Amino acid sequence: MTSMNLTFTPGALLRGRRAVVTGGVAGIGAAIARSFAAHGAHVLIADVNPIGDVDFDGAAGGRLDAIVADVCSSQVEPALVEHRPDILVNNVGHFVRAPQEFTADTAEQWAGLHEVNFAHALRLTHALLPGMTERGRGAVVNLTTVEAHRAIPGHTVYSAYKAALMQFTRSLAAEVGPAGIRVNAVAPDLIETAQVPYGDLVPEQDRALWPLWSPLGGPGKPEDVAGAALFLASDLSRFVTGSTIHVDGGTHGAGGWVPRPTGGWTNRPRNP
Ligand SMILES: NC(=O)c1ccc[n+]([C@@H]2O[C@H](COP(=O)([O-])OP(=O)(O)OC[C@H]3O[C@@H](n4cnc5c(N)ncnc54)[C@H](O)[C@@H]3O)[C@@H](O)[C@H]2O)c1
């Protein structure tokens, strides 16, 4: 490994790289795709929705293209393989349904959750790894969730498949590290997107309570997650693999501890 000057100004971090970002038309995926392109990557988005006008800083020579594709279909789109990416962001994932108890679930619902939160990432990673191996370089970034690391009652199967994606990240990282490929995860929480529109979910009168929810308040922005993904896709993280970055304002680390309005801390309900 060559030495790296850690006082350097990074500049464009992905100049000349090629990236595939799933679900890159909206939310976190869109912020990741734009930041990669602004850092010089040629990004190909695969999304069920068409892309509109996208604004990004093209000074580093980056480019942003998109195809309309459902990553949950059983065939990987050939255009994604033909793009020859050395970066893959498996961003698509969803609760799919309103919260309900596990006993009310159906096997069809499990199959849908399995596909959208786990299986498509296996299929696409499997299709793109041979090219990365051939080129001796690759970075895979999987979007998990804080709930891969703690409970989410009402979404038990969603959290189980996200935890599976986190474990896939670790074990695959060990397997493909010797081939020059790194595999990491980002676990968001509290990011304002169409999937979890905190602006609508948290009424005006409760917004002052954000600091009780997370040490850094909230909500976070898709760009906050893009920063972590950019780090994991770039050579800045060249000695990092099998890891998860928690982009959550500190909820995972705090583990349920919140400040009492009267001072001090509690991890008990109703502030006893
Ligand atoms: N927002 C949060 O706070 C949060 C918290 C935890 C985890 N996450 C994870 O982050 C990732 C992105 O979340 P988000 O909030 O930006 O989601 P979002 O629902 O706002 O955006 C998802 C994007 O993926 C596209 N998409 C959906 N299904 C697709 C499919 N089958 N094929 C191709 N494209 C598809 C949508 O069109 C959209 O552009 C997900 O994996 C999610 O589980 C988000």
Side-chain angles (χ1 to χ4, degrees), residues 22-30 45-49 67-73 90-95 116-117 120 142-147 158 162 165 186-198 220 222 225 247:
T22 68
V25 162
I28 290 169
I45 289 170
D47 201 294
V48 281
N49 289 318
I67 58 167
V68 174
D70 181 351
V71 294
C72 292
S73 82
N90 288 310
N91 166 69
V92 165
H94 208 291
F95 304 103
V116 79
N117 291 297
H120 75 84
N142 295 321
L143 269 289
T144 61
T145 173
V146 68
E147 285 106 8
Y158 162 81
K162 285 290 198 180
L165 187 58
V186 182
D189 188 19
L190 307 180
I191 306 297
E192 171 81 44
T193 64
Q195 188 172 139
V196 255
Y198 288 101
V225 184
V247 183

Side-chain angles (χ1 to χ4, degrees), residues 15 27 43 54 61 75 114 151 167 223 248:
R15 208 185 284 276
V43 180
V54 183
Q75 299 295 321
H114 176 258
Q167 283 299 102
E223 288 72 20
D248 59 3

Side-chain angles (χ1 to χ4, degrees), residues 22 76 88-90 118-132 140-142 165 168 172 176 181 183:
T22 68
V76 168
L88 166 63
V89 181
N90 288 310
F118 186 51
H120 75 84
L122 305 190
R123 198 162 43 240
L124 190 51
T125 308
H126 192 262
L128 297 184
L129 275 176
M132 293 182 186
V140 179
V141 180
N142 295 321
L165 187 58
F168 170 64
L172 184 66
V176 300
I181 301 164
V183 189

Side-chain angles (χ1 to χ4, degrees), residues 27 44 81 94 109 111 150 179 191 199 210 217 228 252-255 259 270-271:
L44 180 60
V81 181
H94 208 291
Q109 287 175 325
R150 67 153 200 233
I191 306 297
W210 269 107
H252 174 65
R270 305 189 66 79
N271 195 33

